């Protein structure tokens, strides 16, 4: 990890990191609901049939759904889906408990058997609430949702919980990737007004990738990007740079702004990359979403910019949502409450008829007891309080005469 000068010439640890060519050590790619494996962009997706050795699916009620007709232009993983009609769980074995990326593929197609447009469900990943009341995206095309989290055990669990009136969940494909350990640094700069403060323990957080965009070099202009985000969350803003525009070292200087604040003054790519041209690096900043619900990123020429050269570059932007204190990426409901939604629904259907049956049996028991008591009873009269003292023999004679 390299260090670089930031505001006021102070050296800020963890704000700049060089790209490292670490290998993605392990991949599990599931083609959910498919009976055969498939290949997409040279990546081999395996079937999630019950006898699959790649992931264990625990589901009391699930079935495979096929689009039936070809979907032009869509990879084969979107032609099938696994439909889950009860709370269900995929369990993956993890050989190297570290940072992992989990990616979900959804496509809501329609068949005579079932219309996936009517879905609504929750998704949990290792106890984190990833999605709540999710419907699978829009019906115009596939939706990909990606998360990054630390796995501290030998298992990774993905739980689907049907919600609302749909009573089912679905998924087209699941990808699990073991990520490089240095993908997220331990420390980043947190933007607090005009000040930059250290954000410690960043690599222990979980993230949802909400934006990825490619950009370009900028000749003689200020340029900014506004990316929509959700309020009440903190975001990791990762800015990618690679000076492929300059013809020589030391010609490019520019300023970087995030949410209207100057976060890097007179950025010199040559100095950061140890004077290697066309060498990639990135800057990380942790920011809070403001009330405008956007993250604004801008690059602009600095006072050190030279004439007849490129004024600024920005090759790519990643915006990653950090989970909130409830362990959720989608609302303020904890995982425990989400998991209780399904059992409560199920037990309600059974509990009402059972309660009615118990009440009926109790009523019948009281009715029968009254009939028995009436048949065994005899007439009686109130005894006077001034009964003279008598012997047992006299008592028996008096009771006999009463009867």
């Amino acid at each position: 990890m390299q260090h670089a000068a930031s505001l006021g010439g102070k050296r800020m640890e963890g704000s700049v990191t060089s790209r490292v060519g670490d290998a993605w050590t392990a991949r599990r790619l599931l083609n959910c609901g498919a009976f055969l494996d498939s290949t997409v962009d040279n990546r081999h997706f395996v079937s999630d049939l019950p006898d699959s050795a790649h992931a264990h699916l625990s589901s009391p009620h699930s079935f495979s759904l096929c689009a039936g007709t070809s979907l032009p232009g869509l990879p084969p993983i979107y032609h099938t889906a696994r439909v889950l009609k009860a709370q269900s769980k995929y369990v993956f074995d993890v050989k190297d408990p570290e940072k992992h990326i989990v990616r979900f593929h959804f496509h809501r197609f329609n068949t005579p058997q079932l219309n996936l447009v009517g879905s609504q469900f929750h998704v949990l990943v290792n106890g984190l609430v990833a999605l709540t009341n999710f419907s699978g995206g829009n019906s115009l095309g596939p939706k990909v949702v990606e998360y990054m989290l630390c796995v501290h055990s030998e298992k990774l669990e993905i739980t689907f919980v049907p919600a609302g009136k749909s009573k089912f969940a679905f998924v087209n494909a699941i990808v699990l990737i073991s990520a490089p350990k240095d993908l997220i640094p331990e420390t980043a700069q947190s933007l607090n007004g005009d000040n930059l403060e250290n954000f410690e323990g960043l690599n222990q957080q979980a993230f949802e990738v909400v934006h990825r965009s490619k950009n370009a070099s900028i000749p003689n202009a200020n340029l900014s990007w506004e990316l929509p985000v959700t309020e009440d969350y903190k975001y990791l803003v990762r800015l990618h740079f690679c000076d492929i525009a300059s013809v020589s070292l030391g010609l490019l200087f520019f300023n970087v702004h995030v949410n209207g604040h100057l976060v890097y003054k007179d950025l010199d790519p040559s100095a950061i990359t140890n004077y290697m041209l066309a060498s990639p690096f990135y800057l990380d900043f942790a920011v809070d979403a403001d009330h405008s619900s956007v993250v604004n990123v801008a690059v602009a020429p600095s006072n050190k910019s030279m004439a007849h050269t490129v004024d600024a570059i920005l090759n790519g932007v990643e915006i990653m949502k950090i989970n909130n204190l409830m362990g959720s990426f989608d609302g303020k409901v904890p995982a425990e409450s989400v998991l209780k939604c399904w059992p409560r629904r199920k037990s309600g259907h059974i509990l009402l008829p059972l309660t009615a049956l118990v009440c009926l049996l109790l009523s019948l028991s009281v009715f029968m007891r009254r009939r028995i008591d009436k048949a065994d009873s005899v007439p009686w009269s109130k005894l006077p309080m001034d009964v003279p003292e008598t012997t047992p023999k006299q008592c028996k004679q008096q009771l006999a005469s009463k009867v």
Side-chain angles (χ1 to χ4, degrees):
M1 180 183 299
Q2 296 180 4
H3 300 171
S6 187
L7 293 176
K10 182 179 180 181
R11 297 181 68 82
M12 309 294 289
E13 182 176 358
S15 60
V16 179
T17 305
S18 295
R19 268 296 185 195
V20 178
D22 245 345
W24 303 88
T25 56
R27 293 185 180 187
R28 259 70 60 82
L29 299 90
L30 290 187
N31 190 3
C32 301
F35 294 97
L36 299 174
D37 298 352
S38 61
T39 301
V40 179
D41 295 331
N42 296 321
R43 294 175 298 165
H44 186 68
F45 285 78
V46 299
S47 169
D48 72 337
L49 290 176
D51 57 351
S52 172
H54 299 273
H56 176 64
L57 172 61
S58 174
S59 176
H61 303 288
S62 75
F63 60 90
S64 299
L65 187 68
C66 181
T69 58
S70 62
L71 302 175
L74 288 183
I77 58 173
Y78 296 115
H79 295 206
T80 61
R82 171 68 59 185
V83 178
L84 309 158
K85 301 192 69 176
Q87 181 174 309
S88 307
K89 185 183 298 183
Y90 282 93
V91 180
F92 293 86
D93 292 327
V94 176
K95 295 181 180 179
D96 185 17
E98 280 294 342
K99 186 72 70 176
H100 282 71
I101 292 175
V102 180
R103 189 178 298 142
F104 298 100
H105 294 260
F106 300 99
H107 180 51
R108 306 191 304 176
F109 57 78
N110 185 16
T111 71
Q113 184 181 4
L114 183 67
N115 187 357
L116 295 180
V117 174
S119 64
Q120 189 177 1
F121 52 95
H122 316 302
V123 181
L124 279 68
V125 181
N126 258 25
L128 294 170
V129 179
L131 298 164
T132 59
N133 296 315
F134 183 64
S135 60
N138 59 60
S139 57
L140 300 178
K143 182 174 181 62
V144 180
V145 190
E146 182 176 307
Y147 302 91
M148 192 184 310
L149 69 156
C150 289
V151 180
H152 299 293
S153 64
E154 296 180 350
K155 301 286 183 182
L156 184 139
E157 297 183 353
I158 299 172
T159 306
F160 292 84
V161 184
K165 297 180 180 180
S166 73
K167 300 181 181 179
F168 72 91
F170 81 93
V171 60
N172 299 87
I174 301 175
V175 175
L176 175 63
I177 303 174
S178 177
K181 295 181 180 180
D182 63 347
L183 185 61
I184 300 294
E186 182 179 353
T187 305
Q189 300 308 301
S190 179
L191 181 60
N192 183 9
D194 289 325
N195 299 319
L196 287 174
E197 302 172 350
N198 281 349
F199 187 107
E200 303 290 346
L202 183 68
N203 59 345
Q204 296 302 312
Q205 302 296 317
F207 306 87
E208 177 189 357
V209 179
V210 294
H211 292 289
R212 276 199 182 107
S213 63
K214 296 179 180 179
N215 308 301
S217 59
I218 307 167
N220 306 315
N222 298 338
L223 198 59
S224 66
W225 292 260
E226 285 193 349
L227 304 169
V229 294
T230 306
E231 289 186 38
D232 300 327
Y233 281 91
K234 186 177 284 290
Y235 290 83
L236 176 64
V237 179
R238 175 163 289 182
L239 308 179
H240 294 264
F241 301 93
C242 184
D243 186 4
I244 58 175
S246 299
V247 296
S248 180
L249 294 168
L251 298 180
L252 179 61
F253 298 88
F254 58 94
N255 297 331
V256 181
H257 302 262
V258 176
N259 281 357
H261 302 281
L262 179 63
V263 295
Y264 214 113
K265 181 178 176 61
D266 300 329
L267 176 61
D268 179 6
S270 297
I272 292 176
T273 59
N274 292 324
Y275 296 93
M276 294 178 59
L277 200 61
S279 179
F281 64 95
Y282 58 82
L283 285 77
D284 284 338
F285 300 96
V287 302
D288 292 307
D290 58 18
H291 296 297
S292 63
S293 299
V294 298
V295 169
N296 180 280
V297 176
V299 291
S302 77
N303 293 332
K304 293 185 177 182
S305 295
M306 301 180 182
H308 310 295
T309 62
V310 173
D311 287 330
I313 59 169
L314 181 58
N315 301 78
V317 178
E318 288 181 277
I319 308 291
M320 293 176 271
K321 181 192 291 186
I322 302 176
N323 66 275
N324 59 21
L325 295 177
M326 305 299 292
S328 173
F329 293 102
D330 194 7
K332 297 182 179 180
V333 179
E336 293 78 8
S337 299
V338 173
L339 290 173
K340 290 178 182 178
C341 292
W342 178 256
R344 189 179 298 123
R345 282 182 55 196
K346 296 266 299 182
S347 61
H349 293 301
I350 300 173
L351 186 59
L352 290 176
L354 184 60
T355 303
L357 179 61
V358 171
C359 291
L360 179 62
L361 291 175
L362 287 174
S363 300
L364 184 61
S365 175
V366 171
F367 176 74
M368 294 299 297
R369 175 57 65 95
R370 286 179 178 176
R371 292 196 60 181
I372 293 172
D373 291 344
K374 186 176 181 181
D376 293 342
S377 64
V378 294
W380 63 279
S381 61
K382 186 176 180 181
L383 294 176
M385 299 299 294
D386 55 350
V387 177
E389 215 175 302
T390 57
T391 64
K393 184 176 181 181
Q394 290 174 327
C395 286
K396 290 180 68 175
Q397 290 175 348
Q398 288 177 5
L399 287 173
S401 63
K402 288 278 185 183
V403 174

